[in-house]
Amino acid sequence: EFGIEGNLTRDPEQVRFAESEAILTKFSIAVNRTFRNQKGESVEEVLYMPVQAWGRLGENCATYLTKGREVRVVGRLRQER
């Protein structure tokens, strides 16, 4: 399992699939990363991680999460491109 912490960049978007009655909730998290470059200078960058939550978990995310809220997400990491 993989875990990230960050802040929601927008309110969750819920999608319902009529034929299967499945529920998908999508949102993005901004994750701050600090590291030292080759010169030894401290550098901060922001990574934007898209997240998908299915079923009851997705419903709860859509109900309780809002833009700007700090969250921790634990799950599988999958690269799509």
Side-chain angles (χ1 to χ4, degrees):
E1 288 191 343
F2 177 76
I4 58 172
E5 293 180 10
N7 294 54
L8 267 68
T9 60
R10 58 186 164 89
D11 288 338
E13 172 190 348
Q14 194 173 71
V15 178
R16 292 181 184 267
F17 297 96
E19 63 278 355
S20 64
E21 297 183 16
I23 296 171
L24 166 65
T25 301
K26 300 181 201 179
F27 54 94
S28 293
I29 298 176
V31 179
N32 294 323
R33 176 178 173 243
T34 304
F35 62 95
R36 297 212 174 267
N37 64 15
Q38 292 178 344
K39 296 179 183 178
E41 302 166 332
S42 182
V43 177
E44 186 173 317
E45 71 178 6
V46 179
L47 304 172
Y48 297 95
M49 307 289 289
V51 178
Q52 294 181 351
W54 290 87
R56 184 78 173 136
L57 176 61
E59 287 181 42
N60 288 336
C61 289
T63 301
Y64 297 109
L65 299 181
T66 56
K67 179 180 177 179
R69 183 163 183 167
E70 187 174 352
V71 296
R72 176 173 173 79
V73 176
V74 178
R76 291 183 301 176
L77 179 64
R78 186 174 80 195
Q79 183 176 355
E80 292 187 354
R81 45 186 146 107

